C-alpha cells in the first residue's frame, strides 16, 4: 500500500479529470500551443533496483521549456499538469529507489529533438469498463507517442492508435508550417 500518493515527487499534485469534454475544455488551448515546439526531453521515473520504468508516476515531456506532465490512474482518471516537477530533484519515496531518467526507453529517446506536428486526444471506445478513457497522442517529425491508461498506471505506445480509439485532433501544423487549431470547434471523430 502506498503511503505517499505523490510518490515523493516534490511539488507534484495531480489534477484528476475524467471525460473528453472536460479535459479538452481545461487543457485544449495549452495543448494546442505545444504544436511546433521541439521535444527537448522525455523523462520517466525509473526504479533503479529493478531497472524498470515506474509507470505509476507522471510522464514528463519538455517541449522547448513547456513541460507537460501526463499521468493516469484507475480506469479513466487523467491528470495533465504543467511544469510542476523538477526532474533534477531527488525523489524521496521510501519503498523504491527512484530517479528521473531520460533516454531510458530507446523509442522515446528517438523522439527527442523532433518537432511536435500534431496533438490529439484519444477516447477509448472498446466496449469495456475503460470506455471514455482519454489518452494523449503526439505526432512528431518522424514518430509518434501515445500516453494511455494501462489499468491504473501509464502506458506508452509508439504505434498508430488502435481502432478502438476515437481520435479528436486538438491542433496540427500543416506542411506549409501554418498551425491549425481545432480545439475550439465541437469535437468530432
Amino acid at each position: 500500500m502506498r503511503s505517499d500518493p505523490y510518490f515523493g515527487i516534490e511539488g507534484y499534485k495531480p489534477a484528476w479529470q475524467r471525460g473528453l469534454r472536460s479535459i479538452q475544455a481545461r487543457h485544449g488551448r495549452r495543448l494546442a500551443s505545444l504544436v511546433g515546439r521541439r521535444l527537448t526531453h522525455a523523462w520517466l521515473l525509473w526504479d533503479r533496483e529493478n531497472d524498470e520504468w515506474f509507470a505509476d508516476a507522471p510522464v514528463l515531456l519538455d517541449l522547448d521549456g513547456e513541460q507537460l506532465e501526463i499521468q493516469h490512474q484507475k480506469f479513466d482518471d487523467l491528470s495533465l499538469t504543467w511544469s510542476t516537477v523538477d526532474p533534477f530533484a531527488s525523489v524521496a519515496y521510501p519503498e523504491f529507489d527512484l530517479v528521473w531518467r531520460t533516454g531510458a526507453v530507446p523509442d522515446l529517446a528517438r523522439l527527442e529533438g523532433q518537432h511536435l506536428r500534431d496533438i490529439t486526444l484519444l477516447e477509448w471506445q472498446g466496449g469495456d469498463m475503460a470506455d471514455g478513457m482519454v489518452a494523449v497522442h503526439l505526432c512528431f517529425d518522424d514518430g509518434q507517442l501515445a500516453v494511455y491508461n494501462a489499468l491504473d498506471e501509464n502506458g506508452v505506445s509508439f504505434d498508430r492508435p488502435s481502432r478502438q480509439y476515437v481520435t479528436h485532433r486538438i491542433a496540427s501544423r500543416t506542411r506549409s508550417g501554418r498551425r491549425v487549431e481545432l480545439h475550439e470547434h465541437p469535437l468530432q471523430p
Side-chain angles (χ1 to χ4, degrees), residues 87 142 180:
D142 184 28
V180 178

Side-chain angles (χ1 to χ4, degrees), residues 118-178:
D118 182 272
I119 189 161
T120 59
L121 295 177
L122 304 175
E123 183 181 24
W124 182 255
Q125 296 297 318
D128 55 31
M129 64 185 358
D131 277 359
M133 179 276 297
V134 177
V136 180
H137 184 252
L138 305 101
C139 289
F140 294 91
D141 296 323
D142 184 28
Q144 56 194 315
L145 166 67
V147 182
Y148 63 92
N149 189 317
L151 299 178
D152 201 32
E153 65 182 15
N154 290 309
V156 294
S157 172
F158 305 96
D159 300 320
R160 296 181 73 141
S162 160
R163 290 184 205 168
Q164 283 127 335
Y165 282 112
V166 177
T167 302
H168 303 274
R169 182 165 285 126
I170 296 293
S172 63
R173 188 169 294 276
T174 65
R175 292 193 191 277
S176 67
R178 184 168 87 66

Side-chain angles (χ1 to χ4, degrees), residues 3 9 11 25 28 32-33 39-40 46 49 74 76-77 83 88-90 107 127 130 146 151-152 158 169 173 189:
S3 60
I9 304 168
S33 75
L39 180 63
T40 310
W46 205 257
E49 183 177 330
K74 301 181 182 175
D76 58 358
D77 286 352
S83 302
F88 296 102
S90 61
D107 287 334
L151 299 178
D152 201 32
F158 305 96
R169 182 165 285 126
R173 188 169 294 276

Side-chain angles (χ1 to χ4, degrees), residues 9-124:
I9 304 168
E10 189 166 331
Y12 180 62
K13 293 195 182 345
W16 301 113
Q17 288 187 273
R18 290 184 186 148
L20 179 70
R21 297 217 183 274
S22 171
I23 294 163
Q24 189 272 340
R26 183 168 180 185
H27 297 286
R29 188 174 307 281
R30 199 155 181 193
L31 289 169
S33 75
L34 298 175
V35 172
R37 291 176 178 249
R38 185 175 53 91
L39 180 63
T40 310
H41 296 288
W43 299 91
L44 300 175
L45 198 55
W46 205 257
D47 178 346
R48 289 192 280 201
E49 183 177 330
N50 295 315
D51 193 29
E52 65 186 15
W53 175 32
F54 188 76
D56 287 321
V59 173
L60 311 181
L61 303 175
D62 183 333
L63 291 127
D64 283 333
E66 180 78 282
Q67 184 170 277
L68 172 60
E69 302 154 353
I70 306 168
Q71 183 177 352
H72 290 90
Q73 75 170 3
K74 301 181 182 175
F75 290 107
D76 58 358
D77 286 352
L78 172 62
S79 173
L80 299 178
T81 53
W82 301 87
S83 302
T84 66
V85 177
D86 178 0
F88 296 102
S90 61
V91 178
Y93 192 55
E95 288 86 0
F96 296 92
D97 181 13
L98 302 173
V99 65
W100 290 105
R101 283 188 56 191
T102 186
V105 175
D107 287 334
L108 189 54
R110 276 192 277 284
L111 297 174
E112 290 183 1
Q114 295 188 38
H115 290 89
L116 181 62
R117 297 293 174 203
D118 182 272
I119 189 161
T120 59
L121 295 177
L122 304 175
E123 183 181 24
W124 182 255

